[in-house]
Amino acid sequence: MPPHNVIIDCDTGVDDALALLLALRSPEFNVLGITNVAGNVPLNKVVRNTLVVVEHSGKNVPVYQGASHALTGGAETAEYAHGSDGLADIGFPEPKLVKQEEHAVDYLVRTFMESAEPIDLITLAPLTNIALALLVEPRLEEHIHSLVMMAGGISGGNTTPAAEFNVWVDPEAADAVFRSHIPMTMVALDPIRQGGGIYPEDVDRLEKCGASWCWMASRLLRVQRTRWEEYLGHPTPASPPDLAAMGVALDPTLAEAQMLPVVVETGGKHTRGMTLVDRREGRMRFRSGQEPNVNTVLSIDNARYRKLVLDTWLED
Ligand code: RIB
Ligand code: CA
């Protein structure tokens, strides 16, 4: 099978970096471009981090700067989870690569509208760039072959009890994307947390590999595990959300999923940014009138996911 053409939209923090390293090293993907949006850290740091990751991947993929704020102007960040520089404050050297001049939204619209070949979109961040692209060119939803998102929660959030960070930062953007007709898969927090993620022995193997992408991945995984244990006060599995979503994008057979109705709460004093997944059966489900619109991942085969990640990075 020829590699899939993909575009990745991210807010490069630690787990985005790991996901990018997986995508860029995989023979299954032809990464056409990477678009950046503010999220984990402010946009300038997101772009810098993305260039650092691309450099460590041994590839040269164009990086495009996008939205610096949410549609309604917010600019919430998550340095507590990713470090002040967004890459766990490890101190990776400044990149030599530079970003493209074209705005990410213009790149997204132009590339999807002009491409004669299918292109799959993978998002690991607040959905501001995608919502803006859909506003600029409404026909875009017919030209995006598929969308895999790390977004949302099925039974709750991480940033609030109700909302997952990517949706919480820009609920209006998420609502616009979830209401679009793009064939979409949501990799929410629940299946990621249930898996167990990457094990310490996996990191040991990566540390023995000499490649720059292995070195970067092992440093990020090792340091992030320590940071989270200090932050939470107890050991916790390394389940980087974006890495798991990228695993599902690479091999959808890793996931058990179901088409379900999903809506985004944009009001709600306590629930703004919630992804409301209707798992009720039968006639009750459609009382709200919401048809099943999202392929919702319910579980991930963690053993096969770990194997995919390690085999991809350790492949000569
Ligand atoms: O809630 C986890 C998501 O929010 C991940 O994409 C992480 O990078 C942050 O963007
Ligand atoms: Ca992210």
Side-chain angles (χ1 to χ4, degrees):
M1 286 279 283
H4 292 249
N5 293 323
V6 300
I7 292 174
I8 301 168
D9 188 75
C10 57
D11 60 333
T12 309
V14 172
D15 59 331
D16 305 74
L18 292 164
L20 288 173
L21 288 174
L22 181 62
L24 290 164
R25 296 304 313 173
S26 172
E28 302 299 321
F29 278 170
N30 173 27
V31 182
L32 299 175
I34 301 168
T35 54
N36 282 166
V37 65
N40 289 319
V41 288
L43 185 57
N44 63 318
K45 290 184 179 179
V46 168
V47 172
R48 181 258 180 203
N49 292 344
T50 305
L51 294 168
V52 170
V53 173
V54 172
E55 244 167 38
H56 279 77
S57 76
K59 306 287 183 180
N60 186 357
V61 170
V63 175
Y64 299 85
Q65 181 169 306
S68 58
H69 290 74
L71 295 184
T72 55
E76 301 289 350
T77 56
E79 284 90 344
Y80 74 92
H82 297 267
S84 61
D85 74 353
L87 291 179
D89 294 326
I90 291 170
F92 294 108
E94 286 306 305
K96 295 180 181 59
L97 291 176
V98 295
K99 69 177 171 59
Q100 302 299 302
E101 285 311 308
E102 184 177 20
H103 191 280
V105 173
D106 295 333
Y107 167 75
L108 287 165
V109 171
R110 173 176 63 81
T111 308
F112 278 109
M113 294 306 290
E114 291 177 0
S115 177
E117 297 299 317
I119 303 174
D120 297 312
L121 178 61
I122 301 161
T123 64
L124 310 171
L127 292 160
T128 315
N129 285 340
I130 316 309
L132 287 170
L134 288 167
L135 281 173
V136 166
E137 179 46 85
R139 294 175 300 164
L140 192 66
E141 65 178 7
E142 301 153 26
H143 291 256
I144 296 176
H145 180 251
S146 77
L147 167 59
V148 174
M149 300 175 280
M150 193 282 129
I154 297 172
S155 60
N158 52 3
T159 306
T160 74
E164 177 276 324
F165 180 80
N166 288 338
V167 178
W168 177 77
V169 166
D170 197 338
E172 283 72 21
D175 183 40
V177 173
F178 276 71
R179 283 188 291 108
S180 77
H181 295 95
I182 304 168
M184 65 186 86
T185 294
M186 175 174 83
V187 186
L189 292 169
D190 310 63
I192 294 167
R193 285 170 167 167
Q194 288 153 11
I198 303 302
Y199 289 11
E201 57 262 37
D202 300 332
V203 184
D204 295 342
R205 288 179 63 197
L206 290 170
E207 285 174 336
K208 296 184 177 73
C209 159
S212 55
W213 54 89
C214 289
W215 179 80
M216 181 176 216
S218 64
R219 294 288 296 132
L220 287 167
L221 285 163
R222 183 75 72 195
V223 171
Q224 190 69 344
R225 177 186 288 275
T226 306
R227 293 182 73 254
W228 269 114
E229 286 180 13
E230 285 165 7
Y231 181 75
L232 296 173
H234 57 75
T236 179
S239 299
D242 292 341
L243 182 60
M246 190 59 75
V248 171
L250 272 166
D251 182 359
T253 68
L254 293 181
E256 181 224 340
Q258 185 181 353
M259 278 302 288
L260 293 171
V262 183
V263 296
V264 176
E265 178 59 75
T266 56
K269 183 179 174 190
H270 303 291
T271 56
R272 175 168 162 78
M274 179 179 188
T275 45
L276 184 59
V277 181
D278 191 345
R279 300 190 69 179
R280 293 173 299 167
E281 294 300 328
R283 292 175 58 80
M284 281 296 289
R285 180 191 278 176
F286 300 104
R287 184 171 291 179
S288 65
Q290 173 66 44
E291 290 293 322
N293 58 325
V294 179
N295 185 39
T296 306
V297 172
L298 302 174
S299 67
I300 298 171
D301 181 330
N302 199 65
R304 289 182 56 220
Y305 158 59
R306 286 172 59 206
K307 185 176 186 315
L308 169 67
V309 172
L310 271 291
D311 287 355
T312 301
W313 281 339
L314 296 173
E315 188 74 36
D316 288 334

